[in-house]
Amino acid sequence: MRILVTGGAGFIGSHVAEAAHAAGHELRVLDALLPAVHAAGTRPRLPDGVELLVGDVREAATVDRALVGVDAVCHQAAMVGLGVDVQDMPEYAGINEFGTAVLLAAMARADVGRLVLASSMVVYGEGRYECPVDGVVPAAPRRRTDLDEGRFDPPCPVCGRQLEWATVPEDAVLDPRNTYAATKLGQEHLASAWASSTGGGVIALRYHNVYGPHMPRDTPYAGVAAIFRSALEAGRAPRVFEDGGQQRDFVHVSDVATANLRALLADPPEGSLRAYNVASGTPHTVGDMARALSGAFGGPPPEVTGEYRIGDVRHVVASPDLAEKDLGFRAEIGFDEGMRDFATAPLRAAP
């Protein structure tokens, strides 16, 4: 199969490109090598024989060129992370939504009908919650007054009782709660509209907390694992926000690359979009991750700060069952093994 990987020189994209190349596929990578992600003077980490086209997914002529002779597209190009503040909004919308629209229009012109889209668990907002009295209920947005007083778990919006988190299935109501989340859901909507209009098929992979070798270091747009690892390399204690009890699903990037290959080889849903959680199926708290990483690195133990960021959510834990059933994907790298590996794995140089 001839595959175009957008953002294929980035953290996840480069692992996807490596896995697809190793499986015998013909690869072309389109990447803008933006200075916010790629340090000046560094070469992209791609296997020999992978074609690299340096260009922006927002430029129609560049994307048209990238799609020549392609059978399928794996769309990884995106601005990621929670960001700094609302001043990031135009760039998130430009790269994530406008860039996706340009790509989809070009795919229609090139008659390329197979798309694997890198989506995210952030489209769920707060995860799934159950009240002992009122059953499954939506979690209301967390209030600053509660967060300031250390009340981090959302209460039942009906009776006010303590909620219990549960795993989120793909058919959960979507509720993005920050700029990044809104643009990732926007990508799904655009891709779904493209599929409906052209008869193409989209598999959207909703990544949970991805970590692993070659994460970018020392950037506010990196994932929490990279932020903690950067602190340890600098001799600082990882700073854990809230009380460290936030439940997440940490999935190794090599497993994410495997999920992309399975999605590329699966029968695409004709004229529609089908979404899958990409997760380990074994949740851990952010505090668990910080302690495991500190212990494996041999660095200072984490510091639980009680600080918080508006836009963060409390608990998001996925059900991986549908991805296993339909794609034959199940994560193989366990939490302890993955954290030991990540503690000494190379990171991407800071821009």
Side-chain angles (χ1 to χ4, degrees):
M1 184 184 295
R2 290 168 292 183
I3 303 167
L4 172 66
V5 182
T6 70
F11 165 48
I12 296 175
S14 62
H15 284 273
V16 173
E18 282 187 345
H21 182 265
H25 299 289
E26 184 179 339
L27 268 291
R28 178 180 296 141
V29 163
L30 173 64
D31 200 298
L33 301 182
L34 295 176
V37 181
H38 299 272
T42 60
R43 295 185 60 186
R45 191 184 59 85
L46 293 171
D48 292 339
V50 171
E51 179 187 354
L52 172 62
L53 177 60
V54 178
D56 198 312
V57 74
R58 293 169 289 185
E59 298 169 353
T62 299
V63 179
D64 284 338
R65 204 159 59 246
L67 285 167
V68 173
V70 163
D71 300 310
V73 175
C74 188
H75 185 34
Q76 305 291 323
M79 188 172 178
V80 301
L82 190 59
V84 177
D85 56 34
V86 295
Q87 299 308 313
D88 283 332
M89 277 186 166
E91 194 165 11
Y92 272 103
I95 294 174
N96 295 359
E97 294 188 277
F98 180 67
T100 298
V102 170
L103 172 66
L104 293 168
M107 288 177 66
R109 290 192 295 273
D111 195 26
V112 177
R114 182 187 292 253
L115 175 66
V116 174
L117 173 67
S119 187
S120 173
M121 57 89 172
V122 296
V123 300
Y124 296 121
E126 285 285 356
R128 182 181 175 92
Y129 290 88
E130 296 179 359
C131 172
V133 174
D134 298 298
V136 176
V137 293
R142 299 190 296 170
R143 299 181 300 179
R144 285 182 184 268
T145 52
D146 289 334
L147 296 170
D148 287 338
E149 294 177 8
R151 294 191 296 271
F152 300 117
D153 286 294
C156 175
V158 179
C159 68
R161 287 179 171 84
Q162 179 71 48
L163 298 174
E164 294 291 332
W165 62 266
T167 56
V168 184
E170 286 82 353
D171 61 358
V173 174
L174 305 181
D175 183 21
R177 298 197 175 190
N178 56 56
T179 298
Y180 173 56
T183 62
K184 294 308 285 185
L185 183 54
Q187 286 184 315
E188 288 197 18
H189 286 326
L190 288 166
S192 181
W194 165 84
S196 178
S197 297
T198 66
V202 185
I203 293 180
L205 301 178
R206 292 175 180 163
Y207 303 157
H208 284 250
N209 286 70
V210 186
Y211 71 97
H214 306 291
M215 289 189 85
R217 74 172 82 215
D218 299 324
T219 166
Y221 303 98
V224 65
I227 291 171
F228 289 170
R229 171 65 195 283
S230 295
L232 288 165
E233 283 205 354
R236 303 189 308 268
R239 291 173 54 81
V240 179
F241 281 10
E242 302 185 17
D243 60 359
Q246 308 95 304
Q247 292 284 348
R248 296 289 189 271
D249 190 305
F250 298 98
V251 57
H252 196 274
V253 68
S254 64
D255 284 322
V256 174
T258 298
N260 275 273
L261 283 185
R262 296 288 175 85
L264 284 162
L265 296 175
D267 292 332
E270 185 176 341
S272 64
L273 177 148
R274 189 178 301 139
Y276 295 96
N277 289 321
V278 176
S280 73
T282 307
H284 289 83
T285 68
V286 173
D288 288 340
M289 191 267 286
R291 288 186 290 272
L293 196 55
S294 293
F297 188 86
E303 174 189 350
V304 178
T305 68
E307 299 173 39
Y308 62 86
R309 296 188 302 178
I310 293 296
D312 269 344
V313 296
R314 181 60 173 172
H315 304 302
V316 186
V317 175
S319 168
D321 294 343
L322 188 62
E324 183 173 24
K325 173 178 175 289
D326 288 1
L327 304 179
F329 168 74
R330 174 67 72 168
E332 294 183 356
I333 297 180
F335 179 80
D336 293 335
E337 175 191 355
M339 287 300 157
R340 284 194 302 270
D341 170 73
F342 182 55
T344 56
L347 298 181
R348 185 185 299 270

